[in-house]
Amino acid sequence: MTTTLIRNATIFDGTGADTFTGDVLVTGNRITSVVAGDSGATADTVIDGTGKFLMPGMVEGHAHLSFDAFTCTEDLIAPPPEEHAFLTARVAQTLLEHGFTSAYGASEAKLRLGVAVRNEVDAGRLPGPRIRAGSLEITVTGGLGDESRLHNPRNCYEPSTGTSPSQVVNGPEEMRKAVRIACREGCDNIKLDVSGDPFYPDIPAHCTTMSLEEIQMAVDTAHAFGKMVNVHARSIGAIRNSLIAGVDMIYHAEYSDEETLDMLEAAKDRVFVAPTIGLFHTMWHEGAPHGMPREVTEAMGIGHLIEESVKTHTELRKRGIRHLIGGDYGFTWNMQGTQARELQYFVDYYGYSPAEALVCATRNGGLAMRREGDLGTLAEGMLADMLLVDGDPLADLALLTERERIVMIMKDGDIYRGAP
Ligand SMILES: [Zn+2]
């Protein structure tokens, strides 16, 4: 097996511990030693890390690999599957280029886009991060993503009537079938739209649209197949029912009350949470050139949702919830490749220290990606995904948004960029 030594780097191991100067040795696709000071090791490839910052690769916790510079749901539907697969492959490469060595798939615009690209990346035929492939969004009649109307029925599983960005189900039996199809087709993560959303005026974010029975069926079916379940859950009812049903990943979670916070805390060792603040931050502060001036985002309630997000996730940080960065990148105002901006949002909005924000991006993400627990930190036996950064991200997290500052990207022991 080939060996790679990164020597004399400032090592941030992903646990939140203080950095130290030392050597990391990689054998094959695993880290075989992390040593403070000079290890004296030799290797087939030696990279001088002097003055540079070595950290685990980052994990995008809510990836939509099939979204790229989109502006509306029609953009999800319009591309034919062939072109859409190429687009998805390009986005996967973009993420890797920007230091994201893993992408936890939230959902994709067509059922097999994440699956197909994951398979090509895993086979070494396309550049991209490790991917847990997301399913389609599964929703209920009248829920987020159901854009059919009586005069124009559209459901992505009814080809004769066109397509919809989401698969619409009603009742546990239809849910069972939808989840089994997603499992059969190779998805790793099943996505449920449990609450409303500010993009849908008839079902605002505080609405809970999917029933507990439907969520429970999805969880039981997905878990029987060894898959994970992610939920779009902005409302209190959505968060509570999702926790009762035993979902694995909760997205957004703006609204909360004391009981909901207690429930989240009680589940903190089995559930992950991604606030996905980037979408609303960019809509609120940078939306005007994209057709969303402040009057529009004000009317959508975005400012209020940001306030609720700050309240909930600041409290969840204090309670030790495993937060992940990322989410809903792929729109013109929130572009793919800019996900590392999320690190500073975690500091500014939720009170994380820079080191803690990096833990969310590395260790927490790695745990969500692999239940084996062997991804996301730099330690003996861990998978060798890491970044060498020119500069100190702990002093300036924005460095990680600059592609050229990430001077080496290693995934699974292979140097993707920055070989000496
Ligand atoms: Zn999303």
Side-chain angles (χ1 to χ4, degrees):
M1 277 190 282
T2 59
T3 53
T4 305
L5 177 70
I6 299 117
R7 56 170 302 280
N8 199 36
T10 301
I11 297 171
F12 176 83
D13 68 6
T15 67
D18 289 344
T19 58
F20 57 94
T21 303
D23 293 0
V24 174
L25 181 66
V26 175
T27 306
N29 69 340
R30 298 262 173 192
I31 295 169
T32 40
S33 77
V34 179
V35 174
D38 184 354
S39 65
T42 57
D44 303 326
T45 303
V46 178
I47 294 171
D48 182 11
T50 304
K52 299 197 171 59
F53 187 90
L54 186 69
M55 60 177 277
M58 293 185 285
V59 181
E60 152 64 288
H62 174 128
H64 294 299
L65 298 171
S66 54
F67 296 16
D68 190 24
F70 287 177
T71 58
C72 61
T73 49
E74 200 57 35
D75 290 342
L76 307 178
I77 301 166
E82 296 82 359
E83 281 84 345
H84 215 149
F86 285 113
L87 178 156
T88 306
R90 287 197 300 273
V91 169
Q93 180 169 10
T94 297
L95 282 184
L96 183 58
E97 292 275 347
H98 288 83
F100 286 84
T101 51
S102 289
Y104 183 101
S107 72
E108 300 304 345
K110 297 177 176 71
L111 181 59
R112 299 197 72 264
L113 289 172
V115 171
V117 171
R118 176 202 66 200
N119 292 348
E120 287 297 297
V121 169
D122 284 351
R125 292 188 290 260
L126 281 177
R130 296 177 193 276
I131 293 168
R132 283 189 61 94
S135 69
L136 275 162
E137 308 263 340
I138 301 177
T139 191
V140 296
T141 293
L144 168 62
D146 175 15
E147 304 203 345
S148 61
R149 293 295 179 267
L150 282 179
H151 67 283
N152 182 21
R154 303 203 303 180
N155 186 343
C156 52
Y157 275 101
E158 295 171 23
S160 60
T161 52
T163 62
S164 176
S166 301
Q167 182 176 3
V168 180
V169 304
N170 289 286
E173 281 311 314
E174 288 187 19
M175 178 64 84
R176 188 195 319 256
K177 183 173 182 183
V179 174
R180 282 181 174 168
I181 290 171
C183 294
R184 181 190 73 195
E185 296 301 319
C187 299
D188 299 305
N189 305 328
I190 308 299
K191 174 77 182 294
L192 308 179
D193 291 333
V194 179
S195 80
D197 192 80
F199 279 91
Y200 287 71
D202 294 338
I203 41 161
H206 63 264
C207 287
T208 304
T209 47
M210 188 174 282
S211 72
L212 175 58
E213 292 73 20
E214 289 161 334
I215 307 168
Q216 191 69 63
M217 176 62 87
V219 170
D220 292 346
T221 306
H223 285 179
F225 278 81
K227 313 293 188 179
M228 293 172 79
V229 177
N230 324 318
V231 290
H232 168 101
R234 300 194 190 278
S235 69
I236 287 174
I239 297 166
R240 287 187 182 186
N241 284 348
S242 297
L243 287 168
I244 292 167
V247 308
D248 305 287
M249 174 78 80
I250 295 180
Y251 291 138
H252 318 310
E254 284 90 4
Y255 290 107
S256 67
D257 57 15
E258 198 57 28
E259 190 181 336
T260 309
L261 293 168
D262 289 344
M263 288 174 69
L264 281 159
E265 184 177 0
K268 69 181 180 182
D269 293 329
R270 65 171 176 81
V271 78
F272 298 91
V273 177
T276 71
I277 188 71
L279 183 73
F280 288 166
H281 173 92
T282 48
M283 283 171 73
W284 190 245
H285 294 286
E286 302 163 19
H290 305 280
M292 289 183 294
R294 186 57 66 86
E295 312 86 82
V296 171
T297 48
E298 183 91 59
M300 291 174 76
I302 300 303
H304 171 65
L305 280 164
I306 291 174
E307 286 170 18
E308 293 299 311
S309 178
V310 167
K311 273 190 253 172
T312 295
H313 293 290
T314 300
E315 185 60 28
L316 291 179
R317 169 182 61 77
K318 293 176 187 166
R319 295 179 184 223
I321 289 289
R322 297 180 298 187
H323 274 134
L324 272 68
I325 71 161
D328 287 329
Y329 287 75
F331 297 94
T332 50
W333 60 91
N334 200 37
M335 290 288 279
Q336 297 282 5
T338 66
Q339 275 90 340
R341 292 184 71 184
E342 201 96 358
L343 294 163
Q344 189 64 43
Y345 303 153
F346 270 39
V347 172
D348 295 342
Y349 285 115
Y350 307 136
Y352 276 105
S353 72
E356 291 165 343
L358 283 183
V359 170
C360 294
T362 57
R363 184 194 66 186
N364 291 0
L367 289 170
M369 285 296 294
R370 287 178 61 88
R371 66 192 63 186
E372 296 88 339
D374 58 357
L375 185 67
T377 57
L378 304 185
E380 186 183 335
M382 301 296 282
L383 287 164
D385 288 11
M386 56 185 106
L387 312 175
L388 193 61
V389 183
D390 180 14
D392 180 5
L394 295 176
D396 181 9
L397 287 167
L399 286 178
L400 288 168
T401 66
E402 298 175 34
R403 183 184 171 285
E404 58 281 4
R405 300 302 287 264
I406 304 175
V407 294
M408 185 208 70
I409 299 170
M410 176 184 282
K411 192 196 96 183
D412 209 35
D414 290 330
I415 298 173
Y416 170 66
R417 189 172 77 218

